[in-house]
Amino acid sequence: MKPRKSAIQRTTKETDVSISVDIDGSGKTVAKTGIRFLDHLIVSFGTHAMLDLDVTAKSNDGITHHLVEDTAIVIGQAIDEALGDRSGIARFSRAAVPMDESLAEASIDLVRRPYYKLDLSLKGAIEDVSREDLEHFFQSLLQNMCCCVHLGVRYGENDHHKAEAAIKSLAVALRDAARPDKKRGIPSTKGLM
């Protein structure tokens, strides 16, 4: 299997985002967005997906929503690009991750058809990020990974715990679905993903 890495730089009037990812990394993750809780989610994601992930993002217009959205878009695009033609992978996985009173579940199919079903059950802002921006972060990430994901919080009271359980369950499911499987070529009856 060839190296599964990518690096993307996206500069607009709104943001400047630089991402590098190594699917076969060790979980070394650095996130510098200037939004503390967003950085926390990104570090949790990279660490538990065992990705080497380096994220640097800054706002050019001072609008938090644009920075959150564009960061998620570019992370998703970098993962999609790094996965390549997706041959020789497990393809499917699911994970349930608890965090104290919260439980989140993710099911993933790394087929190249973008579809997501998301239910975070968030009630309000978390730390320095609005509820709407957090939900949009997850939506933009899932859409741009170009795969099929069902991600939901089954129950919980603390929004911080719900969001963190959700990102960790996604990370664990992605790690397992992307793992090399020597028995498989293109893991599809169609012959392409």
Side-chain angles (χ1 to χ4, degrees):
M1 185 174 279
K2 64 182 181 180
R4 298 187 296 168
K5 300 178 180 182
S6 72
I8 297 178
Q9 171 79 37
R10 175 182 164 151
T11 301
T12 69
K13 292 179 181 178
E14 299 171 346
T15 63
D16 189 1
V17 181
S18 176
I19 308 282
S20 67
V21 65
D22 180 352
I23 299 292
D24 302 305
S26 61
K28 181 181 177 188
T29 302
V30 176
K32 298 176 187 170
T33 67
I35 303 171
R36 292 181 320 275
F37 190 70
L38 182 60
D39 288 349
H40 177 57
L41 287 180
I42 293 167
V43 169
S44 292
F45 179 65
T47 298
H48 293 286
M50 296 298 289
L51 305 171
D52 287 347
L53 183 60
D54 193 333
V55 176
T56 303
K58 69 176 186 116
S59 176
N60 292 332
D61 66 3
I63 298 174
T64 301
H65 176 84
H66 295 155
L67 185 61
V68 170
E69 176 182 42
D70 288 0
T71 299
I73 288 170
V74 180
I75 292 172
Q77 290 173 341
I79 291 169
D80 176 41
E81 185 176 288
L83 286 168
D85 70 0
R86 303 178 189 208
S87 63
I89 62 170
R91 179 178 166 178
F92 302 101
S93 186
R94 62 184 287 243
V97 172
M99 181 153 189
D100 296 343
E101 84 299 340
S102 298
L103 179 68
E105 295 178 324
S107 295
I108 191 167
D109 175 359
L110 288 178
V111 67
R112 297 202 77 239
R113 286 193 307 270
Y115 178 84
Y116 69 88
K117 178 75 174 168
L118 179 67
D119 180 7
L120 298 175
S121 299
L122 301 177
K123 295 178 268 185
I126 304 174
E127 311 300 334
D128 57 344
V129 187
S130 72
R131 178 186 57 79
E132 293 85 0
D133 285 347
L134 278 172
E135 289 174 349
H136 198 59
F137 172 79
F138 278 90
Q139 292 165 352
S140 297
L141 174 63
L142 298 177
Q143 185 176 11
N144 285 279
M145 283 173 50
C146 196
C147 60
C148 178
V149 180
H150 293 248
L151 176 60
V153 173
R154 288 195 53 203
Y155 49 80
E157 294 299 318
N158 182 295
D159 279 351
H160 182 129
H161 295 167
K162 289 189 276 188
E164 194 166 338
I167 201 73
K168 287 177 180 177
S169 67
L170 176 64
V172 173
L174 174 62
R175 179 181 74 210
D176 193 44
R179 74 178 155 70
D181 184 338
K182 292 180 182 177
K183 294 179 184 179
R184 302 191 86 156
I186 300 287
S188 171
T189 57
K190 296 177 195 284
L192 70 105
M193 297 281 280

